[in-house]
């Protein structure tokens, strides 16, 4: 099997919040680069990447340029392809646009492998369990009023979530007393039995803002984190994600995911130290079918590869010019 070509596009998805209808920026959009990697045997792998912001066009160009270098290669040889792309990019990596672009390509290669072998990705990677815990994320954002957050928290409980995360602090003026009161009110809204997490991000990072695998080694060697959060797009794709998870396991640390639960369900379900999946389904409408929570858990997909197929109507409706 050889890679025969790639197709990419940019879609500007609405910045909605599908879990509790609590969008922080309901009029905004999220620009996403979608990717399809084709082979000479008719197997096509899908991938996505984001975080490009105003440079999303540049990110798509990087996907196209790196993808062109894969044509003619064996899609099973993910390490050989990664080495080729790193060498071709020179000193443009390992972070930034290079990592974001490579992540989508690596994702698609693993999708091809799973489809070719007729195995869902989580089984291909070892298959640690049949279902995994998941937590609601993105509905309890710091930019919302306290009353809106309280209503959203109650909605998440009503919809069956057993775990959820709220943001605290930043932006603007705040005090410890204000933040403690916010948490107290949220806890009152959901009761004592729901697991409640606190996210003070953009200042303290447990991994989701880390690029590549090497900084994770520094973090775990320094014992600076108890739970390692890995962002699939920033870390460099599925191949690098798995290396970080293995590194964390060697230090007896659990790992959790950041965004894109549609793919992360496979990864958290495949590794023995996978703790829970962040259910922040901002990309959900991109796909025809996605894993959905059932009593606070995600059942592992059964379709081969990632088990994802782009919804053509969504691509056409939100395609950026």
């Amino acid at each position: 099997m050889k890679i025969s070509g790639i197709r990419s596009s940019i879609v500007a998805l609405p910045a909605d919040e599908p879990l509790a209808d609590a969008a922080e920026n309901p009029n905004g959009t999220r620009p996403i680069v979608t990717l399809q990697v084709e082979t000479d045997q008719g197997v096509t792998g899908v991938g996505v990447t984001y975080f490009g912001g105003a440079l999303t066009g540049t990110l798509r160009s990087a996907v196209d340029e790196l993808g062109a270098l894969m044509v003619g290669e064996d899609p099973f040889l993910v390490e050989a392809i990664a080495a080729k792309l790193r060498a071709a990019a020179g000193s443009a990596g390992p972070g930034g646009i290079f990592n974001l672009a490579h992540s989508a390509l690596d994702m698609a290669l693993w999708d091809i492998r799973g489809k070719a072998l007729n195995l869902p990705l989580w089984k291909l990677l070892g298959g640690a369990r049949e279902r995994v815990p998941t937590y609601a994320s993105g509905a309890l954002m710091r930019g919302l009023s306290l009353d809106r957050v309280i209503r959203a928290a109650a909605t998440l409980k009503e919809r069956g979530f057993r775990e959820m995360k709220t943001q605290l602090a930043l932006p603007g003026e705040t005090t410890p007393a204000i933040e403690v009161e916010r948490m107290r009110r949220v806890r009152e809204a959901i009761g004592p039995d729901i697991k409640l997490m606190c996210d003070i991000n953009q200042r303290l990072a447990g991994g989701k803002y880390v690029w590549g695998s090497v900084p994770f080694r520094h973090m775990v060697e320094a014992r600076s984190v108890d739970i390692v959060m890995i962002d699939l797009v920033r870390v460099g794709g599925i191949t690098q994600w798995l290396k970080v998870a293995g590194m964390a396991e060697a230090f007896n640390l659990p790992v959790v995911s950041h965004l894109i639960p549609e793919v992360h369900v496979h990864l958290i379900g495949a590794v023995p130290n996978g703790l829970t999946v962040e259910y922040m389904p901002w990309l959900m409408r991109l796909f025809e079918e996605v894993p959905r929570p059932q009593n606070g858990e995600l059942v592992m997909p059964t379709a081969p590869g990632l088990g994802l197929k782009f919804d053509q109507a969504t691509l056409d409706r939100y395609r950026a010019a």
Side-chain angles (χ1 to χ4, degrees):
M1 181 185 294
K2 301 295 182 183
I3 297 170
S4 58
I6 72 163
R7 289 180 287 144
S8 70
S9 66
I10 298 175
V11 293
L13 297 180
D16 58 2
E17 196 296 297
L19 301 184
D21 301 318
E24 192 175 25
N25 182 20
N27 297 318
T29 60
R30 299 186 180 103
I32 312 296
V33 178
T34 66
L35 169 69
Q36 297 179 72
V37 175
E38 301 167 335
T39 67
D40 58 3
Q41 293 187 19
V43 180
T44 298
V46 303
V48 296
T49 186
Y50 37 86
F51 297 136
L55 297 180
T56 299
T58 301
L59 176 55
R60 181 189 180 185
S61 294
V63 169
D64 291 343
E65 291 171 349
L66 293 175
L69 298 175
M70 301 197 316
V71 173
E73 299 289 346
D74 182 340
F76 276 48
L77 305 183
V78 293
E79 291 287 5
I81 290 173
K84 179 179 181 178
L85 300 186
R86 280 195 297 268
S91 58
I97 292 291
F98 173 81
N99 249 31
L100 299 183
H102 183 220
S103 295
L105 297 165
D106 185 77
M107 197 183 305
L109 294 181
W110 280 100
D111 190 29
I112 289 171
R113 178 182 291 196
K115 289 174 177 174
L117 298 176
N118 197 34
L119 285 172
L121 180 63
W122 65 277
K123 280 191 176 181
L124 183 65
L125 298 178
R129 71 205 98 168
E130 298 285 339
R131 56 178 64 220
V132 290
T134 190
Y135 72 92
S137 183
L140 311 180
M141 306 294 274
R142 64 174 59 90
L144 300 173
S145 69
L146 178 56
D147 288 344
R148 187 69 191 90
V149 166
I150 291 170
R151 292 200 306 272
T155 299
L156 294 176
K157 181 182 179 180
E158 292 169 1
R159 294 182 177 177
F161 282 99
R162 301 173 184 173
E163 305 174 2
M164 61 186 69
K165 183 168 73 179
T166 182
Q167 286 187 330
L168 289 183
L170 301 175
E173 297 293 331
T174 188
T175 65
I178 290 174
E179 302 301 333
V180 169
E181 175 67 7
R182 190 177 182 92
M183 287 296 286
R184 185 183 69 80
R185 295 289 301 279
V186 171
R187 172 56 75 187
E188 287 178 351
I190 64 176
D193 299 325
I194 303 295
K195 292 181 179 179
L196 180 61
M197 289 162 264
C198 166
D199 190 351
I200 309 177
N201 58 342
Q202 280 90 42
R203 286 297 183 270
L204 308 169
K208 70 182 185 180
Y209 289 101
V210 171
W211 298 81
S213 59
V214 173
F216 283 98
R217 174 171 62 84
H218 299 160
M219 291 165 59
V220 297
E221 284 181 338
R223 304 289 181 175
S224 63
V225 291
D226 295 316
I227 299 173
V228 179
M229 176 174 267
I230 318 172
D231 183 281
L232 178 60
V233 173
R234 289 191 177 105
V235 79
I238 291 170
T239 304
Q240 295 300 313
W241 197 102
L242 293 169
K243 291 178 181 179
V244 174
M247 188 190 311
E249 183 188 4
F251 283 79
N252 295 317
L253 296 176
V255 297
V256 295
S257 60
H258 182 234
L259 295 176
I260 194 165
E262 300 87 355
V263 177
H264 272 127
V265 61
H266 291 276
L267 304 183
I268 294 295
V271 299
N273 56 330
L275 181 63
T276 186
V277 174
E278 181 181 43
Y279 200 76
M280 205 167 185
W282 287 347
L283 308 189
M284 184 169 61
R285 70 175 74 209
L286 267 183
F287 309 107
E288 291 184 357
E289 294 183 10
V290 297
R292 295 181 183 274
Q294 299 178 12
N295 297 319
E297 296 181 316
L298 292 173
V299 177
M300 304 308 293
T302 58
L306 300 178
L308 299 173
K309 184 178 180 181
F310 286 131
D311 185 295
Q312 192 58 49
T314 295
L315 297 187
D316 292 342
R317 180 178 181 183
Y318 298 108
R319 193 183 307 274

